[in-house]
PDB file of all heavy atoms in Angstrom:
ATOM      1  N   LEU A   1      87.540 133.470  97.936  1.00  0.00           N
ATOM      2  CA  LEU A   1      86.533 132.398  97.797  1.00  0.00           C
ATOM      3  C   LEU A   1      85.606 132.251  98.990  1.00  0.00           C
ATOM      4  O   LEU A   1      86.166 132.085 100.138  1.00  0.00           O
ATOM      5  CB  LEU A   1      87.154 131.056  97.436  1.00  0.00           C
ATOM      6  CG  LEU A   1      88.054 130.978  96.185  1.00  0.00           C
ATOM      7  CD1 LEU A   1      88.719 129.702  96.112  1.00  0.00           C
ATOM      8  CD2 LEU A   1      87.283 131.344  94.890  1.00  0.00           C
ATOM      9  N   VAL A   2      84.352 132.253  98.757  1.00  0.00           N
ATOM     10  CA  VAL A   2      83.337 132.173  99.824  1.00  0.00           C
ATOM     11  C   VAL A   2      82.403 131.069  99.532  1.00  0.00           C
ATOM     12  O   VAL A   2      81.664 131.182  98.510  1.00  0.00           O
ATOM     13  CB  VAL A   2      82.624 133.418 100.179  1.00  0.00           C
ATOM     14  CG1 VAL A   2      81.576 133.250 101.291  1.00  0.00           C
ATOM     15  CG2 VAL A   2      83.578 134.562 100.475  1.00  0.00           C
ATOM     16  N   GLU A   3      82.346 130.016 100.322  1.00  0.00           N
ATOM     17  CA  GLU A   3      81.463 128.867 100.020  1.00  0.00           C
ATOM     18  C   GLU A   3      80.113 129.086 100.794  1.00  0.00           C
ATOM     19  O   GLU A   3      79.991 129.864 101.816  1.00  0.00           O
ATOM     20  CB  GLU A   3      82.003 127.613 100.650  1.00  0.00           C
ATOM     21  CG  GLU A   3      83.338 127.235  99.980  1.00  0.00           C
ATOM     22  CD  GLU A   3      84.526 127.634 100.902  1.00  0.00           C
ATOM     23  OE1 GLU A   3      84.385 128.536 101.688  1.00  0.00           O
ATOM     24  OE2 GLU A   3      85.571 126.818 100.759  1.00  0.00           O
ATOM     25  N   SER A   4      79.073 128.490 100.237  1.00  0.00           N
ATOM     26  CA  SER A   4      77.769 128.546 100.893  1.00  0.00           C
ATOM     27  C   SER A   4      76.994 127.321 100.463  1.00  0.00           C
ATOM     28  O   SER A   4      77.353 126.633  99.490  1.00  0.00           O
ATOM     29  CB  SER A   4      76.938 129.849 100.507  1.00  0.00           C
ATOM     30  OG  SER A   4      76.745 129.938  99.105  1.00  0.00           O
ATOM     31  N   GLY A   5      75.931 127.032 101.159  1.00  0.00           N
ATOM     32  CA  GLY A   5      75.036 125.865 100.851  1.00  0.00           C
ATOM     33  C   GLY A   5      75.252 124.619 101.650  1.00  0.00           C
ATOM     34  O   GLY A   5      74.462 123.719 101.484  1.00  0.00           O
ATOM     35  N   GLY A   6      76.210 124.646 102.527  1.00  0.00           N
ATOM     36  CA  GLY A   6      76.398 123.458 103.438  1.00  0.00           C
ATOM     37  C   GLY A   6      75.267 123.331 104.370  1.00  0.00           C
ATOM     38  O   GLY A   6      74.512 124.285 104.669  1.00  0.00           O
ATOM     39  N   GLY A   7      75.159 122.223 105.121  1.00  0.00           N
ATOM     40  CA  GLY A   7      74.177 122.011 105.974  1.00  0.00           C
ATOM     41  C   GLY A   7      73.968 120.500 106.295  1.00  0.00           C
ATOM     42  O   GLY A   7      74.797 119.723 106.032  1.00  0.00           O
ATOM     43  N   LEU A   8      72.859 120.251 107.045  1.00  0.00           N
ATOM     44  CA  LEU A   8      72.531 118.842 107.385  1.00  0.00           C
ATOM     45  C   LEU A   8      71.479 118.299 106.431  1.00  0.00           C
ATOM     46  O   LEU A   8      70.451 119.000 106.142  1.00  0.00           O
ATOM     47  CB  LEU A   8      71.948 118.906 108.825  1.00  0.00           C
ATOM     48  CG  LEU A   8      71.471 117.544 109.362  1.00  0.00           C
ATOM     49  CD1 LEU A   8      72.569 116.585 109.464  1.00  0.00           C
ATOM     50  CD2 LEU A   8      70.791 117.836 110.691  1.00  0.00           C
ATOM     51  N   VAL A   9      71.674 117.075 105.999  1.00  0.00           N
ATOM     52  CA  VAL A   9      70.808 116.504 105.084  1.00  0.00           C
ATOM     53  C   VAL A   9      70.712 114.993 105.346  1.00  0.00           C
ATOM     54  O   VAL A   9      71.699 114.381 105.865  1.00  0.00           O
ATOM     55  CB  VAL A   9      71.134 116.729 103.620  1.00  0.00           C
ATOM     56  CG1 VAL A   9      72.523 116.096 103.281  1.00  0.00           C
ATOM     57  CG2 VAL A   9      70.217 116.206 102.576  1.00  0.00           C
ATOM     58  N   GLN A  10      69.552 114.408 105.070  1.00  0.00           N
ATOM     59  CA  GLN A  10      69.464 112.989 105.285  1.00  0.00           C
ATOM     60  C   GLN A  10      70.014 112.236 104.135  1.00  0.00           C
ATOM     61  O   GLN A  10      70.183 112.695 103.060  1.00  0.00           O
ATOM     62  CB  GLN A  10      67.949 112.585 105.441  1.00  0.00           C
ATOM     63  CG  GLN A  10      67.294 113.107 106.723  1.00  0.00           C
ATOM     64  CD  GLN A  10      65.846 112.690 106.912  1.00  0.00           C
ATOM     65  OE1 GLN A  10      65.109 112.499 105.881  1.00  0.00           O
ATOM     66  NE2 GLN A  10      65.427 112.525 108.042  1.00  0.00           N
ATOM     67  N   ALA A  11      70.467 110.984 104.443  1.00  0.00           N
ATOM     68  CA  ALA A  11      70.966 110.103 103.408  1.00  0.00           C
ATOM     69  C   ALA A  11      70.029 109.976 102.349  1.00  0.00           C
ATOM     70  O   ALA A  11      68.778 109.784 102.542  1.00  0.00           O
ATOM     71  CB  ALA A  11      71.313 108.652 104.004  1.00  0.00           C
ATOM     72  N   GLY A  12      70.539 110.006 101.074  1.00  0.00           N
ATOM     73  CA  GLY A  12      69.744 109.898  99.892  1.00  0.00           C
ATOM     74  C   GLY A  12      69.207 111.326  99.446  1.00  0.00           C
ATOM     75  O   GLY A  12      68.666 111.403  98.296  1.00  0.00           O
ATOM     76  N   GLY A  13      69.426 112.265 100.168  1.00  0.00           N
ATOM     77  CA  GLY A  13      69.043 113.638  99.885  1.00  0.00           C
ATOM     78  C   GLY A  13      70.048 114.326  98.930  1.00  0.00           C
ATOM     79  O   GLY A  13      71.065 113.745  98.532  1.00  0.00           O
ATOM     80  N   SER A  14      69.769 115.607  98.655  1.00  0.00           N
ATOM     81  CA  SER A  14      70.578 116.375  97.832  1.00  0.00           C
ATOM     82  C   SER A  14      70.905 117.703  98.364  1.00  0.00           C
ATOM     83  O   SER A  14      70.190 118.185  99.325  1.00  0.00           O
ATOM     84  CB  SER A  14      69.901 116.632  96.499  1.00  0.00           C
ATOM     85  OG  SER A  14      69.583 115.448  95.668  1.00  0.00           O
ATOM     86  N   LEU A  15      72.067 118.289  97.998  1.00  0.00           N
ATOM     87  CA  LEU A  15      72.466 119.497  98.486  1.00  0.00           C
ATOM     88  C   LEU A  15      73.272 120.191  97.343  1.00  0.00           C
ATOM     89  O   LEU A  15      74.020 119.526  96.606  1.00  0.00           O
ATOM     90  CB  LEU A  15      73.338 119.388  99.770  1.00  0.00           C
ATOM     91  CG  LEU A  15      73.455 120.456 100.788  1.00  0.00           C
ATOM     92  CD1 LEU A  15      72.120 120.903 101.297  1.00  0.00           C
ATOM     93  CD2 LEU A  15      74.416 120.129 101.833  1.00  0.00           C
ATOM     94  N   ARG A  16      73.233 121.531  97.244  1.00  0.00           N
ATOM     95  CA  ARG A  16      74.040 122.218  96.308  1.00  0.00           C
ATOM     96  C   ARG A  16      74.968 123.265  96.981  1.00  0.00           C
ATOM     97  O   ARG A  16      74.436 124.102  97.714  1.00  0.00           O
ATOM     98  CB  ARG A  16      73.130 122.938  95.251  1.00  0.00           C
ATOM     99  CG  ARG A  16      74.037 123.541  94.061  1.00  0.00           C
ATOM    100  CD  ARG A  16      73.212 124.232  93.024  1.00  0.00           C
ATOM    101  NE  ARG A  16      72.743 125.505  93.434  1.00  0.00           N
ATOM    102  CZ  ARG A  16      72.548 126.547  92.576  1.00  0.00           C
ATOM    103  NH1 ARG A  16      72.620 126.367  91.201  1.00  0.00           N
ATOM    104  NH2 ARG A  16      72.208 127.692  92.993  1.00  0.00           N
ATOM    105  N   LEU A  17      76.179 123.158  96.777  1.00  0.00           N
ATOM    106  CA  LEU A  17      77.160 124.004  97.237  1.00  0.00           C
ATOM    107  C   LEU A  17      77.488 125.086  96.222  1.00  0.00           C
ATOM    108  O   LEU A  17      77.485 124.784  95.040  1.00  0.00           O
ATOM    109  CB  LEU A  17      78.442 123.343  97.650  1.00  0.00           C
ATOM    110  CG  LEU A  17      78.362 122.170  98.646  1.00  0.00           C
ATOM    111  CD1 LEU A  17      79.741 121.625  99.029  1.00  0.00           C
ATOM    112  CD2 LEU A  17      77.552 122.615  99.995  1.00  0.00           C
ATOM    113  N   SER A  18      77.739 126.272  96.713  1.00  0.00           N
ATOM    114  CA  SER A  18      78.037 127.460  95.842  1.00  0.00           C
ATOM    115  C   SER A  18      79.323 128.004  96.303  1.00  0.00           C
ATOM    116  O   SER A  18      79.659 128.049  97.480  1.00  0.00           O
ATOM    117  CB  SER A  18      76.905 128.472  95.708  1.00  0.00           C
ATOM    118  OG  SER A  18      75.833 127.942  95.216  1.00  0.00           O
ATOM    119  N   CYS A  19      80.164 128.589  95.396  1.00  0.00           N
ATOM    120  CA  CYS A  19      81.379 129.255  95.750  1.00  0.00           C
ATOM    121  C   CYS A  19      81.523 130.429  94.879  1.00  0.00           C
ATOM    122  O   CYS A  19      81.724 130.297  93.723  1.00  0.00           O
ATOM    123  CB  CYS A  19      82.510 128.319  95.628  1.00  0.00           C
ATOM    124  SG  CYS A  19      84.220 129.167  95.829  1.00  0.00           S
ATOM    125  N   ALA A  20      81.484 131.563  95.450  1.00  0.00           N
ATOM    126  CA  ALA A  20      81.672 132.913  94.696  1.00  0.00           C
ATOM    127  C   ALA A  20      83.030 133.421  94.836  1.00  0.00           C
ATOM    128  O   ALA A  20      83.506 133.566  95.944  1.00  0.00           O
ATOM    129  CB  ALA A  20      80.727 133.912  95.235  1.00  0.00           C
ATOM    130  N   ALA A  21      83.694 133.688  93.737  1.00  0.00           N
ATOM    131  CA  ALA A  21      85.005 134.167  93.737  1.00  0.00           C
ATOM    132  C   ALA A  21      85.040 135.758  93.587  1.00  0.00           C
ATOM    133  O   ALA A  21      84.115 136.300  92.862  1.00  0.00           O
ATOM    134  CB  ALA A  21      85.870 133.550  92.580  1.00  0.00           C
ATOM    135  N   SER A  22      85.951 136.411  94.153  1.00  0.00           N
ATOM    136  CA  SER A  22      86.061 137.772  93.980  1.00  0.00           C
ATOM    137  C   SER A  22      87.656 138.183  93.940  1.00  0.00           C
ATOM    138  O   SER A  22      88.423 137.365  94.204  1.00  0.00           O
ATOM    139  CB  SER A  22      85.457 138.585  95.139  1.00  0.00           C
ATOM    140  OG  SER A  22      86.009 138.334  96.356  1.00  0.00           O
ATOM    141  N   GLY A  23      87.891 139.394  93.537  1.00  0.00           N
ATOM    142  CA  GLY A  23      89.221 139.817  93.434  1.00  0.00           C
ATOM    143  C   GLY A  23      89.658 139.667  91.907  1.00  0.00           C
ATOM    144  O   GLY A  23      88.918 140.137  91.031  1.00  0.00           O
ATOM    145  N   SER A  24      90.754 139.061  91.688  1.00  0.00           N
ATOM    146  CA  SER A  24      91.265 138.953  90.231  1.00  0.00           C
ATOM    147  C   SER A  24      90.633 137.751  89.551  1.00  0.00           C
ATOM    148  O   SER A  24      91.134 136.756  89.155  1.00  0.00           O
ATOM    149  CB  SER A  24      92.756 138.781  90.257  1.00  0.00           C
ATOM    150  OG  SER A  24      93.380 139.911  90.860  1.00  0.00           O
ATOM    151  N   ILE A  25      89.276 137.826  89.442  1.00  0.00           N
ATOM    152  CA  ILE A  25      88.486 136.641  88.978  1.00  0.00           C
ATOM    153  C   ILE A  25      88.773 136.213  87.572  1.00  0.00           C
ATOM    154  O   ILE A  25      88.608 135.133  87.170  1.00  0.00           O
ATOM    155  CB  ILE A  25      86.978 136.889  89.117  1.00  0.00           C
ATOM    156  CG1 ILE A  25      86.569 138.153  88.333  1.00  0.00           C
ATOM    157  CG2 ILE A  25      86.575 137.083  90.591  1.00  0.00           C
ATOM    158  CD1 ILE A  25      85.031 138.404  88.405  1.00  0.00           C
ATOM    159  N   PHE A  26      89.213 137.217  86.727  1.00  0.00           N
ATOM    160  CA  PHE A  26      89.512 136.901  85.329  1.00  0.00           C
ATOM    161  C   PHE A  26      90.739 136.166  85.102  1.00  0.00           C
ATOM    162  O   PHE A  26      91.002 135.694  84.018  1.00  0.00           O
ATOM    163  CB  PHE A  26      89.413 138.211  84.509  1.00  0.00           C
ATOM    164  CG  PHE A  26      88.149 138.854  84.512  1.00  0.00           C
ATOM    165  CD1 PHE A  26      87.947 140.130  85.122  1.00  0.00           C
ATOM    166  CD2 PHE A  26      87.016 138.303  83.880  1.00  0.00           C
ATOM    167  CE1 PHE A  26      86.698 140.665  85.141  1.00  0.00           C
ATOM    168  CE2 PHE A  26      85.710 138.908  83.869  1.00  0.00           C
ATOM    169  CZ  PHE A  26      85.662 140.141  84.490  1.00  0.00           C
ATOM    170  N   SER A  27      91.548 136.037  86.137  1.00  0.00           N
ATOM    171  CA  SER A  27      92.798 135.274  86.129  1.00  0.00           C
ATOM    172  C   SER A  27      92.509 133.771  86.364  1.00  0.00           C
ATOM    173  O   SER A  27      93.433 132.970  86.178  1.00  0.00           O
ATOM    174  CB  SER A  27      93.780 135.866  86.971  1.00  0.00           C
ATOM    175  OG  SER A  27      93.454 135.519  88.371  1.00  0.00           O
ATOM    176  N   ILE A  28      91.456 133.400  86.884  1.00  0.00           N
ATOM    177  CA  ILE A  28      91.059 132.087  87.271  1.00  0.00           C
ATOM    178  C   ILE A  28      90.829 131.163  86.022  1.00  0.00           C
ATOM    179  O   ILE A  28      90.066 131.431  85.106  1.00  0.00           O
ATOM    180  CB  ILE A  28      89.868 132.060  88.208  1.00  0.00           C
ATOM    181  CG1 ILE A  28      90.109 132.722  89.470  1.00  0.00           C
ATOM    182  CG2 ILE A  28      89.365 130.621  88.416  1.00  0.00           C
ATOM    183  CD1 ILE A  28      88.882 132.837  90.370  1.00  0.00           C
ATOM    184  N   ASP A  29      91.492 130.048  86.013  1.00  0.00           N
ATOM    185  CA  ASP A  29      91.113 128.937  85.153  1.00  0.00           C
ATOM    186  C   ASP A  29      90.420 127.811  85.907  1.00  0.00           C
ATOM    187  O   ASP A  29      89.225 127.726  85.843  1.00  0.00           O
ATOM    188  CB  ASP A  29      92.382 128.372  84.442  1.00  0.00           C
ATOM    189  CG  ASP A  29      92.102 127.442  83.336  1.00  0.00           C
ATOM    190  OD1 ASP A  29      91.051 126.737  83.342  1.00  0.00           O
ATOM    191  OD2 ASP A  29      92.960 127.295  82.479  1.00  0.00           O
ATOM    192  N   ALA A  30      91.175 126.975  86.654  1.00  0.00           N
ATOM    193  CA  ALA A  30      90.577 125.901  87.332  1.00  0.00           C
ATOM    194  C   ALA A  30      89.820 126.405  88.491  1.00  0.00           C
ATOM    195  O   ALA A  30      90.115 127.233  89.248  1.00  0.00           O
ATOM    196  CB  ALA A  30      91.640 124.954  87.700  1.00  0.00           C
ATOM    197  N   MET A  31      88.693 125.667  88.811  1.00  0.00           N
ATOM    198  CA  MET A  31      87.930 125.740  90.166  1.00  0.00           C
ATOM    199  C   MET A  31      87.599 124.358  90.574  1.00  0.00           C
ATOM    200  O   MET A  31      87.427 123.494  89.625  1.00  0.00           O
ATOM    201  CB  MET A  31      86.662 126.610  89.984  1.00  0.00           C
ATOM    202  CG  MET A  31      87.036 128.022  89.450  1.00  0.00           C
ATOM    203  SD  MET A  31      85.541 129.177  89.583  1.00  0.00           S
ATOM    204  CE  MET A  31      85.546 129.502  91.357  1.00  0.00           C
ATOM    205  N   GLY A  32      87.587 124.155  91.763  1.00  0.00           N
ATOM    206  CA  GLY A  32      87.220 122.795  92.303  1.00  0.00           C
ATOM    207  C   GLY A  32      86.744 122.741  93.709  1.00  0.00           C
ATOM    208  O   GLY A  32      86.592 123.776  94.357  1.00  0.00           O
ATOM    209  N   TRP A  33      86.465 121.567  94.108  1.00  0.00           N
ATOM    210  CA  TRP A  33      86.032 121.317  95.442  1.00  0.00           C
ATOM    211  C   TRP A  33      86.822 120.169  96.045  1.00  0.00           C
ATOM    212  O   TRP A  33      87.004 119.165  95.487  1.00  0.00           O
ATOM    213  CB  TRP A  33      84.548 120.890  95.408  1.00  0.00           C
ATOM    214  CG  TRP A  33      83.595 121.958  95.117  1.00  0.00           C
ATOM    215  CD1 TRP A  33      83.036 122.272  93.819  1.00  0.00           C
ATOM    216  CD2 TRP A  33      83.069 122.970  95.947  1.00  0.00           C
ATOM    217  NE1 TRP A  33      82.244 123.264  93.866  1.00  0.00           N
ATOM    218  CE2 TRP A  33      82.197 123.801  95.196  1.00  0.00           C
ATOM    219  CE3 TRP A  33      83.063 123.143  97.332  1.00  0.00           C
ATOM    220  CZ2 TRP A  33      81.454 124.853  95.654  1.00  0.00           C
ATOM    221  CZ3 TRP A  33      82.352 124.273  97.826  1.00  0.00           C
ATOM    222  CH2 TRP A  33      81.542 125.009  97.044  1.00  0.00           C
ATOM    223  N   TYR A  34      87.276 120.470  97.275  1.00  0.00           N
ATOM    224  CA  TYR A  34      87.997 119.403  98.125  1.00  0.00           C
ATOM    225  C   TYR A  34      87.044 119.122  99.189  1.00  0.00           C
ATOM    226  O   TYR A  34      86.143 119.913  99.628  1.00  0.00           O
ATOM    227  CB  TYR A  34      89.256 119.908  98.722  1.00  0.00           C
ATOM    228  CG  TYR A  34      90.436 119.992  97.707  1.00  0.00           C
ATOM    229  CD1 TYR A  34      90.705 120.992  96.875  1.00  0.00           C
ATOM    230  CD2 TYR A  34      91.224 118.910  97.707  1.00  0.00           C
ATOM    231  CE1 TYR A  34      91.769 121.071  95.973  1.00  0.00           C
ATOM    232  CE2 TYR A  34      92.444 118.912  96.825  1.00  0.00           C
ATOM    233  CZ  TYR A  34      92.588 119.969  96.027  1.00  0.00           C
ATOM    234  OH  TYR A  34      93.743 120.067  95.141  1.00  0.00           O
TER     235      TYR A  34
END
């Protein structure tokens, strides 16, 4: 799993994180963010 999209943002702003999976991707059911 490789995350991207983090950074610095001002309060009230928005940000979108992405996470691309590779390998045995078809075995994945749950995905989440901690």
